[in-house]
Amino acid sequence: MKKRSVEQFDPVCGDPVEGDAHTVDHLGVQFLFCSEQCKARFQLHPGLFVGCPGEKAPRQSGQEVIKQRCLRLAFPLMARKAGEIENCLQKLLGVKSVNASDDHIDITYDLLLISAEEIEEEIIECGEYLGHSLRDRLERVFIHVEEQSEISSLEVHYKKKVD
Ligand SMILES: [Zn+2]
């Protein structure tokens, strides 16, 4: 009879995980992930996904931090390219909806799972240029800083017991 291991769940996306292709040791516990993307997200902000005794992490209590943004592009999208970029972004973990048209992309996402900065990187990878007026650039920097501070205020910070 084959020995069955205890079913484990990816703490980031919540999917059951088989095998240990993607693992992280955190506070003496081994966590399994379904993909490199989930693993990387966890390593960046473990306190969003795993709490400590007496304090659940936001993701563990089913919290979502929904953001709606309009990302401006440098040039209007061709119709075919708009569909391509929507497909590209919809595949990302945490992205709820995408609508690309003309020179902007309307996107809704869960900040626990993905940040505006990561979405922008993906847009660039898809071959598009983000708006480069001073206003566009300042707005992006402001959003990155704001999201960073929101994320770190949500993270459960593990306090070492001193005795
Ligand atoms: Zn996952």
Side-chain angles (χ1 to χ4, degrees), residues 25-137:
D25 285 304
H26 175 66
L27 305 173
V29 179
Q30 191 187 53
F31 292 93
L32 303 181
F33 302 88
C34 71
S35 63
E36 277 304 306
Q37 196 191 349
C38 286
K39 178 180 165 177
R41 188 69 187 156
F42 182 84
Q43 285 177 309
L44 213 51
H45 304 290
L48 293 179
F49 308 104
V50 174
C52 47
E55 194 180 358
K56 273 190 175 177
R59 183 75 177 157
Q60 287 174 312
S61 38
Q63 198 181 330
E64 287 186 322
V65 181
I66 301 300
K67 297 287 172 191
Q68 261 183 305
R69 305 228 186 259
C70 176
L71 304 173
R72 300 190 63 79
L73 300 169
F75 311 106
L77 288 159
M78 308 282 233
R80 190 177 56 85
K81 197 69 214 252
E84 252 173 56
I85 207 154
E86 282 177 1
N87 284 337
C88 204
L89 296 175
Q90 251 145 15
K91 275 189 278 191
L92 298 175
L93 180 72
V95 171
K96 302 268 184 191
S97 72
V98 190
N99 183 30
S101 67
D102 197 27
D103 65 347
H104 61 273
I105 299 174
D106 290 300
I107 189 158
T108 308
Y109 56 97
D110 181 354
L111 182 61
L112 290 186
L113 299 174
I114 196 162
S115 66
E117 199 167 2
E118 289 164 310
I119 292 167
E120 289 162 10
E121 280 165 16
E122 189 67 24
I123 293 171
I124 294 164
E125 213 144 285
C126 290
E128 289 303 326
Y129 296 91
L130 297 164
H132 40 50
S133 72
L134 182 62
R135 182 172 163 261
D136 288 338
R137 282 181 287 155

